[in-house]
Amino acid sequence: MLNMSEVPLRPLTFSRSDPLLQPLWNHLLMHHRPLISSPFLPVLLAFSSYVVFSTPFAVMDLLGERAPLFHKYKIQPGRRPTLGMMARSFQTSLFNHIFFVLPSVLVSMFILPPPALPQEAPALLEVFIDGLALLLVFDTQYYIWHVVHHKHVQLYRCVHAVHHEYSAPFSWSTEQLSIPELMTVGLWSNQDPILLKCHPLTTWCITVLSIWMSVEDHIGYDLPWGLNRLVPFGLLGGAPAHDMHHQRPSSNYAPFFSHWDKIFGTAVPLRKKN
């Protein structure tokens, strides 16, 4: 199998139409080619993003009433995760990645060809359009999968119930998933960019953004600076919608956007508990 790090470097071109991203992409190609061509990079990006994004909210949960600036936005203030609950969720995610995700990547290295790294960086507009397409496609895939697994009792018990251990979600519970659910989500995350012919830089940006959105869905705080507040017209469900899903599992199935739940009548507004 050809190693991308061994591919002779061609003179790097500078795209005058995109002066912001091309220098960054040139730098990555020149100085970090083994890293950005590695099949382990998406896993590293996703897991490290999960850890970095979850930690501040875990601190907020542990501080509780001692941090009133944040605690006043707690959706279910009477249900605060313990350090043990956080540790179990993190251990589940770590176990899944070590014993299932990483071996899957190793197997794929011998089956799939190495990724091609284009010389040109994507335009900012391309990153936005392709990134939005990736999020919308994933949102649709997971909505359908989510509804099916809640409607089918055996599928729910065997596959999705792991994620519903807690009726009050918290940041570390974002990746508290069964192996089948984790591998399904991982398959979509890897195949959707290929099917949509996205630039690697676009894929990596959306990987980090989607992890942020997933963590924010589970933080249990309706923060005024949350994406669901910043994006207009109620297009995103955010933490209020997903928290309500954990309280009432027959509602708010979509992971990011709100349109499918509104179209199919599964949208339920948040009912904050005291």
Side-chain angles (χ1 to χ4, degrees):
M1 182 175 66
L2 182 63
N3 190 325
M4 288 302 300
S5 62
E6 298 173 355
V7 176
L9 293 178
R10 292 176 292 171
L12 296 176
T13 59
F14 184 88
S15 174
R16 292 184 180 180
S17 62
D18 199 341
L20 294 177
L21 294 183
Q22 191 65 50
L24 170 62
W25 187 241
N26 288 348
H27 177 80
L28 292 174
L29 288 175
M30 283 292 295
H31 303 288
H32 303 285
R33 185 178 286 263
L35 173 63
I36 64 176
S37 63
S38 171
F40 293 100
L41 178 61
V43 179
L44 177 64
L45 273 178
F47 189 77
S48 60
S49 297
Y50 161 66
V51 172
V52 170
F53 296 154
S54 296
T55 301
F57 298 109
V59 173
M60 287 167 53
D61 279 326
L62 293 175
L63 289 174
E65 294 85 350
R66 289 171 291 177
L69 177 64
F70 303 109
H71 187 71
K72 64 183 179 180
Y73 298 113
K74 183 74 174 171
I75 296 172
Q76 299 186 59
R79 293 181 175 179
R80 200 172 81 190
T82 65
L83 191 59
M85 293 162 61
M86 297 179 189
R88 285 194 298 273
S89 292
F90 177 74
Q91 287 169 1
T92 298
S93 178
L94 186 63
F95 176 87
N96 289 348
H97 278 79
I98 292 175
F99 293 101
F100 291 93
V101 176
L102 293 181
S104 298
V105 174
L106 286 172
V107 171
S108 71
M109 291 174 62
F110 295 97
I111 299 176
L112 302 175
L117 296 178
Q119 293 294 105
E120 294 284 333
L124 282 174
L125 182 60
E126 178 187 343
V127 173
F128 176 80
I129 293 175
D130 287 354
L132 181 60
L134 282 174
L135 291 175
L136 287 170
V137 168
F138 180 87
D139 196 73
T140 302
Q141 292 167 325
Y142 193 82
Y143 180 86
I144 297 170
W145 184 97
H146 205 180
V147 170
V148 170
H149 280 73
H150 272 277
K151 299 299 183 183
H152 194 287
V153 176
Q154 287 302 112
L155 280 177
Y156 178 81
R157 289 177 179 173
C158 297
V159 177
H160 191 53
V162 172
H163 187 66
H164 278 270
E165 180 178 351
Y166 305 111
S167 59
F170 50 93
S171 60
W172 290 115
S173 69
T174 304
E175 293 197 4
Q176 182 170 313
L177 307 172
S178 68
I179 301 304
E181 181 167 358
L182 176 68
M183 302 308 283
T184 301
V185 171
L187 176 65
W188 294 333
S189 300
N190 283 281
Q191 292 304 309
D192 289 348
I194 296 174
L195 295 174
L196 295 178
K197 299 181 179 180
C198 296
H199 192 283
L201 192 58
T202 301
T203 303
W204 303 333
C205 290
I206 296 306
T207 295
V208 175
L209 176 60
S210 64
I211 296 296
W212 168 255
M213 295 174 73
S214 297
V215 170
E216 195 178 61
D217 276 358
H218 292 82
I219 59 176
Y221 292 83
D222 187 10
L223 299 171
W225 53 86
L227 286 179
N228 60 293
R229 298 280 189 177
L230 299 178
V231 176
F233 311 117
L235 296 176
L236 299 181
H242 198 71
D243 200 287
M244 196 62 204
H245 171 71
H246 278 256
Q247 296 180 46
R248 183 176 168 180
S250 61
S251 66
N252 301 340
Y253 294 110
F256 302 142
F257 298 94
S258 59
H259 58 278
W260 290 126
D261 284 301
K262 291 177 180 177
I263 290 172
F264 290 104
T266 53
V268 172
L270 175 67
R271 299 167 188 170
K272 189 170 181 178
K273 291 186 176 182
N274 295 320

